Amino acid sequence: MQSIRTIVLVGTGNVATRLGLALKRSGLVIRQVFGRTGLSAERLAAALGAAAVQTPEGIAPDADLYVLAVSDDAIADVAGTIKDRGRFMVHCSGSVPMDVLSPFTERYGVVYPLQTFSKDRELDFKTVPVCIEAGSIRDLDLLYGLAEGISGTVMTVPSDKRKLLHLAAVFACNFPNYMYAVADRLARSAGLDFEVLKPLILETARKVQEIPPTDAQTGPALRGDRKVLEAHLELLRHDPGTRDLYRMVSEEIGKHRSGK
Amino acid sequence: MQSIRTIVLVGTGNVATRLGLALKRSGLVIRQVFGRTGLSAERLAAALGAAAVQTPEGIAPDADLYVLAVSDDAIADVAGTIKDRGRFMVHCSGSVPMDVLSPFTERYGVVYPLQTFSKDRELDFKTVPVCIEAGSIRDLDLLYGLAEGISGTVMTVPSDKRKLLHLAAVFACNFPNYMYAVADRLARSAGLDFEVLKPLILETARKVQEIPPTDAQTGPALRGDRKVLEAHLELLRHDPGTRDLYRMVSEEIGKHRSGK
């Protein structure tokens, strides 16, 4: 069976950048980068040894794979723009069903890397779990081969489960990050720098690499320490949003404690 | 000025264990470990090259420092048990004011290590910020010397600011850990192992070591992506507590977005 060798990458954001670099490193040829914003496309294309394309007409018709690394809302639009029954297209979204691509081509799939990406942050892609899905067994095999080249963890995950995993990722990444932002504000209100919280944040994330999070839970809410909880709510009296958030998370932690 | 050389450690929990080991490593002598549960005290004493004591009468009267590494509620009790006007006592709590010790001795203070500790997890104490406070300049100097021996970051933090910092620590540690626990449940409901979320959790914590958390924020709530938010709430319909939590955190993230 033939494997994927040449790729057209659509998109110039964080995922496009990190995924593109990983694909190139795995030995694949990124032929073109298609992006609506010219400068970004040219910059990424240069980094990938690819050509930048700004109009759909310029897109190579015979690449082995078209990777749509664009925002959720743009996936169908882009697929419509480059549609061709024979082109193998994948999107990279956690929450968009694979079927969104089926009106535009007979060969479609998903390559969803479960990680938070920044354009400017290096990251070992080998550690990033990659979830794949495809409309046919043959194409799933092709994506498996591609994903194995960039990651040490490849999983076949159908759309309905991918959606749940994406929700889990919000709780694993976006929500903790917001908690860090609140912690930052509180430290500054005490005249201290966010710097002092960094070792705690890192150790908390490291701990659950070894211990299940329910076993790693500590703090006043878990102990049911009313005195400290009340004192904390009092400290937050001038920030009702954060106070309500504190109360709700503490109650949830308490529920699961009593449920033990 | 004389520095602290000999210590009596009260408590046998996570903080007592990690702090005791760090103090010993810095060259101080842990003379005794006082603990109500005999076996724990003996085990920790053995690890510290100290003697285990189980009755207040057995406590050495002439140690340079008495470290009360016990739960918040027990601090005053323990201080009452070992009270002596001349004994230098410190507690290790984030939320308890220093003054709780003043009825029991003329020399008191606080050594609060800002970290989450586990008995069984090794950890480089040099990276742990240590907040100190004392009732006199002389004793503050003594604690500074002691803290510098165990940590690369020593800060003088008065009780009212330490309380705020402790609240910040809840947002930096306990709450993210609870989010991990929810993520774990959701991944398992998709038939996937928590394992797949570990790289994401670690990278999220690593990111804010370099980028301020408000800049590192990503996800549907930040983008104001109603479609994904609604889909996620729908996925959580059978778990109202988590659904309400999702809604509230997302709203808070959204508020701070529009406030940008």
mmCIF file of all heavy atoms in Angstrom, chain A residues 239-258:
data_model
loop_
_atom_site.group_PDB
_atom_site.id
_atom_site.type_symbol
_atom_site.label_atom_id
_atom_site.label_comp_id
_atom_site.label_asym_id
_atom_site.label_seq_id
_atom_site.Cartn_x
_atom_site.Cartn_y
_atom_site.Cartn_z
ATOM 1 N N ASP A 239 -14.934 40.595 44.896
ATOM 2 C CA ASP A 239 -14.871 40.011 43.555
ATOM 3 C C ASP A 239 -15.892 38.863 43.494
ATOM 4 O O ASP A 239 -15.526 37.691 43.558
ATOM 5 C CB ASP A 239 -13.435 39.504 43.311
ATOM 6 C CG ASP A 239 -13.255 38.915 41.922
ATOM 7 O OD1 ASP A 239 -14.264 38.768 41.192
ATOM 8 O OD2 ASP A 239 -12.115 38.566 41.581
ATOM 9 N N PRO A 240 -17.184 39.226 43.369
ATOM 10 C CA PRO A 240 -18.260 38.223 43.481
ATOM 11 C C PRO A 240 -18.110 37.060 42.499
ATOM 12 O O PRO A 240 -18.416 35.920 42.846
ATOM 13 C CB PRO A 240 -19.529 39.019 43.174
ATOM 14 C CG PRO A 240 -19.163 40.456 43.334
ATOM 15 C CD PRO A 240 -17.705 40.571 43.068
ATOM 16 N N GLY A 241 -17.638 37.334 41.277
ATOM 17 C CA GLY A 241 -17.477 36.261 40.293
ATOM 18 C C GLY A 241 -16.513 35.210 40.788
ATOM 19 O O GLY A 241 -16.788 34.008 40.755
ATOM 20 N N THR A 242 -15.362 35.656 41.272
ATOM 21 C CA THR A 242 -14.348 34.727 41.765
ATOM 22 C C THR A 242 -14.809 34.056 43.060
ATOM 23 O O THR A 242 -14.525 32.879 43.296
ATOM 24 C CB THR A 242 -13.012 35.465 41.988
ATOM 25 O OG1 THR A 242 -12.663 36.143 40.775
ATOM 26 C CG2 THR A 242 -11.900 34.499 42.339
ATOM 27 N N ARG A 243 -15.559 34.807 43.886
ATOM 28 C CA ARG A 243 -16.072 34.229 45.139
ATOM 29 C C ARG A 243 -17.042 33.086 44.830
ATOM 30 O O ARG A 243 -16.949 31.999 45.417
ATOM 31 C CB ARG A 243 -16.782 35.307 45.962
ATOM 32 C CG ARG A 243 -17.120 34.873 47.380
ATOM 33 C CD ARG A 243 -18.080 35.855 48.022
ATOM 34 N NE ARG A 243 -19.239 36.035 47.154
ATOM 35 C CZ ARG A 243 -20.038 37.104 47.136
ATOM 36 N NH1 ARG A 243 -19.791 38.113 47.943
ATOM 37 N NH2 ARG A 243 -21.064 37.176 46.314
ATOM 38 N N ASP A 244 -17.957 33.314 43.870
ATOM 39 C CA ASP A 244 -18.910 32.259 43.511
ATOM 40 C C ASP A 244 -18.185 31.059 42.913
ATOM 41 O O ASP A 244 -18.544 29.907 43.163
ATOM 42 C CB ASP A 244 -19.939 32.798 42.510
ATOM 43 C CG ASP A 244 -20.845 33.841 43.150
ATOM 44 O OD1 ASP A 244 -20.795 33.995 44.396
ATOM 45 O OD2 ASP A 244 -21.574 34.522 42.411
ATOM 46 N N LEU A 245 -17.163 31.355 42.119
ATOM 47 C CA LEU A 245 -16.362 30.282 41.528
ATOM 48 C C LEU A 245 -15.680 29.471 42.631
ATOM 49 O O LEU A 245 -15.700 28.232 42.615
ATOM 50 C CB LEU A 245 -15.309 30.898 40.599
ATOM 51 C CG LEU A 245 -14.339 29.944 39.927
ATOM 52 C CD1 LEU A 245 -15.073 28.999 38.996
ATOM 53 C CD2 LEU A 245 -13.284 30.726 39.123
ATOM 54 N N TYR A 246 -15.102 30.171 43.598
ATOM 55 C CA TYR A 246 -14.447 29.488 44.723
ATOM 56 C C TYR A 246 -15.437 28.575 45.436
ATOM 57 O O TYR A 246 -15.141 27.423 45.729
ATOM 58 C CB TYR A 246 -13.873 30.516 45.703
ATOM 59 C CG TYR A 246 -13.150 29.872 46.876
ATOM 60 C CD1 TYR A 246 -11.779 29.675 46.843
ATOM 61 C CD2 TYR A 246 -13.853 29.445 48.001
ATOM 62 C CE1 TYR A 246 -11.117 29.075 47.904
ATOM 63 C CE2 TYR A 246 -13.201 28.836 49.064
ATOM 64 C CZ TYR A 246 -11.837 28.654 49.015
ATOM 65 O OH TYR A 246 -11.188 28.042 50.052
ATOM 66 N N ARG A 247 -16.621 29.110 45.683
ATOM 67 C CA ARG A 247 -17.625 28.338 46.408
ATOM 68 C C ARG A 247 -18.021 27.101 45.620
ATOM 69 O O ARG A 247 -18.091 25.994 46.154
ATOM 70 C CB ARG A 247 -18.852 29.219 46.679
ATOM 71 C CG ARG A 247 -19.850 28.553 47.612
ATOM 72 C CD ARG A 247 -21.066 29.417 47.865
ATOM 73 N NE ARG A 247 -20.833 30.498 48.791
ATOM 74 C CZ ARG A 247 -21.059 31.792 48.526
ATOM 75 N NH1 ARG A 247 -21.511 32.160 47.338
ATOM 76 N NH2 ARG A 247 -20.829 32.713 49.436
ATOM 77 N N MET A 248 -18.245 27.286 44.301
ATOM 78 C CA MET A 248 -18.716 26.159 43.498
ATOM 79 C C MET A 248 -17.662 25.056 43.378
ATOM 80 O O MET A 248 -17.968 23.875 43.548
ATOM 81 C CB MET A 248 -19.136 26.634 42.109
ATOM 82 C CG MET A 248 -19.779 25.516 41.305
ATOM 83 S SD MET A 248 -20.283 26.044 39.663
ATOM 84 C CE MET A 248 -21.854 26.806 39.992
ATOM 85 N N VAL A 249 -16.423 25.433 43.092
ATOM 86 C CA VAL A 249 -15.384 24.404 42.965
ATOM 87 C C VAL A 249 -15.196 23.688 44.306
ATOM 88 O O VAL A 249 -15.074 22.460 44.356
ATOM 89 C CB VAL A 249 -14.040 24.993 42.477
ATOM 90 C CG1 VAL A 249 -13.002 23.891 42.309
ATOM 91 C CG2 VAL A 249 -14.213 25.738 41.162
ATOM 92 N N SER A 250 -15.224 24.454 45.391
ATOM 93 C CA SER A 250 -15.061 23.838 46.715
ATOM 94 C C SER A 250 -16.189 22.856 47.010
ATOM 95 O O SER A 250 -15.963 21.774 47.565
ATOM 96 C CB SER A 250 -15.014 24.920 47.801
ATOM 97 O OG SER A 250 -13.855 25.708 47.647
ATOM 98 N N GLU A 251 -17.415 23.242 46.625
ATOM 99 C CA GLU A 251 -18.550 22.331 46.844
ATOM 100 C C GLU A 251 -18.396 21.052 46.029
ATOM 101 O O GLU A 251 -18.662 19.957 46.526
ATOM 102 C CB GLU A 251 -19.871 23.023 46.483
ATOM 103 C CG GLU A 251 -20.402 23.863 47.634
ATOM 104 C CD GLU A 251 -21.564 24.759 47.225
ATOM 105 O OE1 GLU A 251 -22.120 24.564 46.117
ATOM 106 O OE2 GLU A 251 -21.907 25.673 48.008
ATOM 107 N N GLU A 252 -17.933 21.202 44.784
ATOM 108 C CA GLU A 252 -17.735 20.012 43.948
ATOM 109 C C GLU A 252 -16.659 19.101 44.556
ATOM 110 O O GLU A 252 -16.812 17.893 44.591
ATOM 111 C CB GLU A 252 -17.357 20.411 42.518
ATOM 112 C CG GLU A 252 -18.514 20.996 41.705
ATOM 113 C CD GLU A 252 -19.627 19.983 41.467
ATOM 114 O OE1 GLU A 252 -19.330 18.882 40.994
ATOM 115 O OE2 GLU A 252 -20.791 20.288 41.783
ATOM 116 N N ILE A 253 -15.575 19.714 45.027
ATOM 117 C CA ILE A 253 -14.521 18.914 45.668
ATOM 118 C C ILE A 253 -15.091 18.215 46.898
ATOM 119 O O ILE A 253 -14.851 17.031 47.118
ATOM 120 C CB ILE A 253 -13.309 19.802 46.066
ATOM 121 C CG1 ILE A 253 -12.607 20.327 44.806
ATOM 122 C CG2 ILE A 253 -12.321 19.022 46.934
ATOM 123 C CD1 ILE A 253 -11.490 21.330 45.082
ATOM 124 N N GLY A 254 -15.873 18.942 47.674
ATOM 125 C CA GLY A 254 -16.483 18.376 48.878
ATOM 126 C C GLY A 254 -17.410 17.206 48.569
ATOM 127 O O GLY A 254 -17.386 16.179 49.256
ATOM 128 N N LYS A 255 -18.209 17.340 47.515
ATOM 129 C CA LYS A 255 -19.120 16.260 47.100
ATOM 130 C C LYS A 255 -18.359 14.981 46.836
ATOM 131 O O LYS A 255 -18.759 13.906 47.246
ATOM 132 C CB LYS A 255 -19.812 16.652 45.783
ATOM 133 C CG LYS A 255 -21.185 17.257 45.937
ATOM 134 C CD LYS A 255 -21.843 17.297 44.558
ATOM 135 C CE LYS A 255 -22.319 18.702 44.238
ATOM 136 N NZ LYS A 255 -22.722 18.856 42.826
ATOM 137 N N HIS A 256 -17.256 15.128 46.103
ATOM 138 C CA HIS A 256 -16.529 13.926 45.717
ATOM 139 C C HIS A 256 -15.764 13.346 46.892
ATOM 140 O O HIS A 256 -15.467 12.164 46.924
ATOM 141 C CB HIS A 256 -15.637 14.211 44.505
ATOM 142 C CG HIS A 256 -16.461 14.386 43.266
ATOM 143 N ND1 HIS A 256 -16.869 13.323 42.515
ATOM 144 C CD2 HIS A 256 -17.031 15.474 42.712
ATOM 145 C CE1 HIS A 256 -17.630 13.758 41.528
ATOM 146 N NE2 HIS A 256 -17.742 15.074 41.621
ATOM 147 N N ARG A 257 -15.481 14.200 47.886
ATOM 148 C CA ARG A 257 -14.891 13.707 49.124
ATOM 149 C C ARG A 257 -15.891 12.802 49.838
ATOM 150 O O ARG A 257 -15.605 11.663 50.173
ATOM 151 C CB ARG A 257 -14.536 14.889 50.028
ATOM 152 C CG ARG A 257 -14.118 14.513 51.429
ATOM 153 C CD ARG A 257 -13.732 15.748 52.224
ATOM 154 N NE ARG A 257 -14.844 16.674 52.352
ATOM 155 C CZ ARG A 257 -15.631 16.780 53.426
ATOM 156 N NH1 ARG A 257 -15.404 16.032 54.470
ATOM 157 N NH2 ARG A 257 -16.621 17.643 53.474
ATOM 158 N N SER A 258 -17.104 13.337 50.048
ATOM 159 C CA SER A 258 -18.090 12.553 50.789
ATOM 160 C C SER A 258 -18.490 11.306 50.003
ATOM 161 O O SER A 258 -18.923 10.316 50.569
ATOM 162 C CB SER A 258 -19.319 13.407 51.106
ATOM 163 O OG SER A 258 -19.798 14.023 49.926
#
